Amino acid sequence: MLHHQSFFRIKSLSCVWQTSRGISLTASLCKNRKSGVPKITPFRTKQLTYEEAIPPSRINVRKGWLSFNTSNLHEEKRAAQTTFEDFLVRRFLTGTWHRSLASEVIIKRRHNIVVLSFLVSMERMLPRQVYFLQGYSETMLSGWLKMPVKIELQSVASQSDMVFKKI
Amino acid sequence: MASVSVRKTFVVLNSRARDIKFIQQRALHMSLSLKGQDIKSIENDKETSSDTDEFRVYQIEGLKRTSSVRRAERWSKRVPPPRYRSMSTEQDWTDVWPTASTFKWSAVPFPVRQGYVENSSENEGVIPSKYANLELMKGPNFLHLTPAHVQKHCKAIKHFCTKWPEGLETDEQCQKHFPVESVTSDYIYAGPSLTDDRARVASIKFKLSDLKLDYHARDKFVRLVGDRYNPETDDVFFESNRCPLKSQNLEYVKFLLTAVYFESWKNESWEQGKQLSDMETYVWNHNKSHKTCMSLLASIQAKDKTTEGELGKLNYLPENEVDTSVICGLPEVQQYKVAVETLFNVGENMETLNAYKMAVEKLLNFKSDV
């Protein structure tokens, strides 16, 4: 109701301004827009992995977390730094393993060691390239985070092996 | 470059066939990279070209592929089969999975699935298997902590273990021989720095009864330490975080113990002026109850002398006039004293009130006819 009222008020003003487009100043309901929930395509052609297919509301029910650390526990430190480092690591790996990163990156922190595990698609990669990129990523991230970084990756034959669902 | 020079030579050959030999030599000179076979083919071409007047086309051997040879697939492209297929059932699992590691589908020899499917549209209605399963990689696993692993670990660290000292089998014995318990903490967390400001805290804990203290010193000690003394467990707990280093804090709490101990043994002049309100506990002898009780008993004693008969008399009181200390020592009075002291020191409850009632009945020879 409120929405309509303000809409008409603006509409009447817009006549004065000689514009045909109305603007709404009330907050939109956004009931169909949710974070982490992909939209269905008309012919159900969008391929989703298990991680993408399960909505965030099902975390700890049907899927686990992607970051494992103790920073958010009571009286623990570095919550913000840890979150930012995870963001940085994910950005870096997405670019470094361009078009070959088949899954999300799992970041586990054991003591001061950062363990990264993810799946690499071997469609465009040679084993020696994988070994190089693994060492490269470990070295670069260890230098930036000032913590030993270990990459425990696994390979999949192609990206299509990751498909769980089509929507 | 070589082929170009040869073609030029042919033009010359066709126009002037006389100086073949000379031109051949020249061609040889110009194209040093040509092999002997090429020269031969030039000669053959010359003979066939004499039949037709067309330009001959020079065929360079190996330029056009006549048959295709399929090269073997690059060895590096081939992915070897997963490791679990070639594992024997007799293998040592500790060699396969030596340390903590992310779940690796190719090395785990048992079938395992994780995930949730709602209907047949998801993963063809089957729970995802271990291949390319991120869910299995997320959680921590205990594949590096099997009994065989633990046995190996124990065997490795047994070298560093020493025998447990004799005479310290029980907690009581440990408490007796090591009365002071100090607690410090080290912190490690997922960060680049090893320092943690919480690590500087140091504390010691000991039983107050382990210290050699008399009544005055103990009272003073308890007053000095305040809420650091727990009367229920008889523990004294000193903790410090005021110094920047752990060792400094530990030294400081040990100093505190020493200082408070020797301070509590000192008897200062101002301590003599201790008033009734300063008393730490209720002492009957110092209080008004003692005085009232004594005067009451004295007046009863005086009255009992003058009255005839035994009814209502206090038989435990002596016949003659005696000192108050003698009356104090009488068991009835002693019972009353204890009852009043516990009533004040412990607090009012059914037990202390009943004990007080009994003591008063005995003291004043009341008889309840209920």
Side-chain angles (χ1 to χ4, degrees):
Chain A
M1 194 64 197
L2 209 90
H3 180 90
H4 281 288
Q5 278 177 357
S6 63
F7 179 78
F8 285 127
R9 196 174 302 138
I10 299 300
K11 189 99 183 186
S12 60
L13 274 172
S14 70
C15 296
V16 182
W17 297 337
Q18 296 291 310
T19 52
S20 59
R21 193 174 289 177
I23 51 167
S24 170
L25 291 180
T26 50
S28 58
L29 191 52
C30 294
K31 69 181 172 63
N32 291 327
R33 222 184 295 163
K34 291 172 194 163
S35 155
V37 182
K39 280 261 185 187
I40 294 174
T41 52
F43 297 103
R44 305 222 162 195
T45 48
K46 191 193 266 182
Q47 296 178 335
L48 294 184
T49 63
Y50 186 84
E51 184 67 35
E52 290 161 349
I54 309 290
S57 56
R58 298 276 191 187
I59 290 176
N60 201 21
V61 181
R62 289 186 189 175
K63 70 172 180 182
W65 299 272
L66 288 168
S67 293
F68 290 79
N69 58 64
T70 53
S71 295
N72 286 325
L73 298 182
H74 180 57
E75 286 189 344
E76 289 298 325
K77 301 194 287 187
R78 285 174 56 82
Q81 285 96 325
T82 305
T83 313
F84 179 72
E85 279 168 11
D86 287 2
F87 165 77
L88 183 84
V89 165
R90 292 214 167 85
R91 274 290 179 95
F92 175 73
L93 290 181
T94 313
T96 306
W97 299 81
H98 184 57
R99 300 178 75 195
S100 292
L101 199 64
S103 72
E104 283 79 7
V105 182
I106 303 167
I107 303 175
K108 291 182 198 171
R109 283 156 196 270
R110 268 186 234 132
H111 307 316
N112 69 336
I113 299 172
V114 183
V115 180
L116 312 175
S117 41
F118 49 88
L119 296 168
V120 173
S121 142
M122 295 301 285
E123 278 167 302
R124 298 180 192 83
M125 297 286 262
L126 294 172
R128 62 164 183 266
Q129 288 175 306
V130 173
Y131 288 131
F132 169 76
L133 281 182
Q134 181 179 358
Y136 170 76
S137 309
E138 280 182 359
T139 312
M140 296 300 276
L141 287 172
S142 300
W144 289 329
L145 305 184
K146 295 181 180 61
M147 283 182 264
V149 175
K150 272 169 77 180
I151 292 183
E152 293 175 354
L153 60 84
Q154 292 172 41
S155 63
V156 292
S158 77
Q159 196 87 33
S160 59
D161 291 351
M162 298 296 298
V163 177
F164 174 74
K165 189 183 185 182
K166 284 184 182 178
I167 61 166
Chain B
M1 209 56 181
S3 63
V4 171
S5 65
V6 171
R7 273 182 195 283
K8 273 183 182 170
T9 322
F10 280 142
V11 176
V12 178
L13 268 174
N14 285 320
S15 54
R16 291 186 279 167
R18 287 169 288 182
D19 309 322
I20 295 167
K21 286 255 168 171
F22 167 72
I23 289 165
Q24 265 185 2
Q25 278 172 358
R26 199 176 158 202
L28 261 172
H29 181 73
M30 286 168 74
S31 57
L32 283 167
S33 63
L34 276 179
K35 289 173 185 170
Q37 311 168 1
D38 297 329
I39 307 298
K40 232 182 266 172
S41 68
I42 292 170
E43 282 181 343
N44 295 339
D45 288 349
K46 185 208 78 187
E47 281 164 13
T48 47
S49 67
S50 58
D51 302 336
T52 57
D53 286 336
E54 293 287 322
F55 287 121
R56 289 169 299 155
V57 179
Y58 176 60
Q59 304 289 336
I60 299 174
E61 281 184 14
L63 185 68
K64 284 181 183 173
R65 285 178 72 177
T66 50
S67 65
S68 63
V69 180
R70 194 174 171 79
R71 292 176 75 185
E73 205 183 334
R74 290 179 75 159
W75 63 270
S76 53
K77 260 285 193 192
R78 263 184 277 134
V79 179
R83 189 179 169 187
Y84 73 88
R85 284 181 194 270
S86 54
M87 283 177 178
S88 81
T89 51
E90 304 293 318
Q91 69 176 346
D92 187 4
W93 177 249
T94 57
D95 293 340
V96 180
W97 209 285
T99 52
S101 158
T102 310
F103 183 88
K104 200 186 228 173
W105 71 274
S106 60
V108 173
F110 49 85
V112 57
R113 290 172 180 275
Q114 189 171 348
Y116 184 87
V117 283
E118 266 180 357
N119 48 46
S120 59
S121 73
E122 295 181 345
N123 204 38
E124 294 165 346
V126 187
I127 293 172
S129 69
K130 64 182 178 178
Y131 170 64
N133 195 335
L134 206 63
E135 293 306 302
L136 283 169
M137 292 162 67
K138 279 179 184 173
N141 61 59
F142 291 94
L143 293 168
H144 63 287
L145 284 176
T146 60
H149 281 99
V150 177
Q151 212 166 11
K152 268 194 172 179
H153 295 166
C154 291
K155 206 176 163 189
I157 62 172
K158 202 176 180 183
H159 176 65
F160 301 105
C161 297
T162 53
K163 213 182 156 195
W164 186 258
E166 280 178 20
L168 290 177
E169 281 79 21
T170 60
D171 286 349
E172 287 74 33
Q173 283 171 330
C174 293
Q175 168 71 32
K176 190 190 162 199
H177 294 292
F178 298 98
V180 181
E181 177 190 335
S182 65
V183 177
T184 55
S185 307
D186 291 312
Y187 290 84
I188 182 163
Y189 59 95
S193 169
L194 288 174
T195 57
D196 192 307
D197 55 353
R198 291 171 294 178
R200 71 182 194 278
V201 181
S203 68
I204 56 168
K205 198 171 87 172
F206 54 91
K207 295 261 183 223
L208 187 56
S209 53
D210 287 336
L211 295 179
K212 273 187 190 167
L213 298 167
D214 64 355
Y215 181 81
H216 162 262
R218 189 185 180 281
D219 175 46
K220 198 171 171 186
F221 192 97
V222 171
R223 283 167 194 267
L224 283 173
V225 300
D227 59 357
R228 292 174 194 84
Y229 172 64
N230 185 354
E232 284 171 16
T233 55
D234 196 38
D235 283 332
V236 184
F237 182 71
F238 288 140
E239 191 183 46
S240 166
N241 62 356
R242 61 175 60 193
C243 304
L245 290 182
K246 183 189 292 175
S247 57
Q248 292 170 338
N249 277 313
L250 199 60
E251 236 167 66
Y252 175 68
V253 288
K254 282 175 185 168
F255 159 75
L256 273 185
L257 168 59
T258 318
V260 176
Y261 177 76
F262 286 108
E263 194 58 38
S264 55
W265 270 103
K266 282 183 194 162
N267 215 332
E268 304 284 350
S269 57
W270 46 262
E271 286 177 39
Q272 305 309 319
K274 198 176 177 183
Q275 298 294 313
L276 204 60
S277 58
D278 298 328
M279 293 301 288
E280 61 282 2
T281 51
Y282 183 88
V283 183
W284 188 68
N285 287 4
H286 300 166
N287 273 279
K288 205 184 171 186
S289 172
H290 173 250
K291 223 181 264 178
T292 319
C293 185
M294 287 302 114
S295 65
L296 183 67
L297 287 180
S299 60
I300 289 173
Q301 197 181 16
K303 193 118 191 204
D304 281 355
K305 262 186 187 173
T306 54
T307 49
E308 293 291 318
E310 286 295 308
L311 195 68
K313 279 189 177 175
L314 294 182
N315 293 328
Y316 62 86
L317 287 175
E319 302 256 329
N320 322 330
E321 289 269 341
V322 285
D323 196 43
T324 48
S325 60
V326 178
I327 295 177
C328 257
L330 292 169
E332 284 80 2
V333 181
Q334 278 297 312
Q335 193 187 353
Y336 178 72
K337 174 197 167 182
V338 171
V340 175
E341 279 183 348
T342 45
L343 195 64
F344 275 100
N345 291 335
V346 176
E348 285 185 16
N349 56 42
M350 285 308 288
E351 278 176 29
T352 53
L353 282 173
N354 272 333
Y356 179 69
K357 179 190 164 191
M358 302 278 282
V360 172
E361 277 179 354
K362 220 169 183 180
L363 185 75
L364 299 178
N365 194 15
F366 286 150
K367 296 249 170 58
S368 52
D369 301 326
V370 183

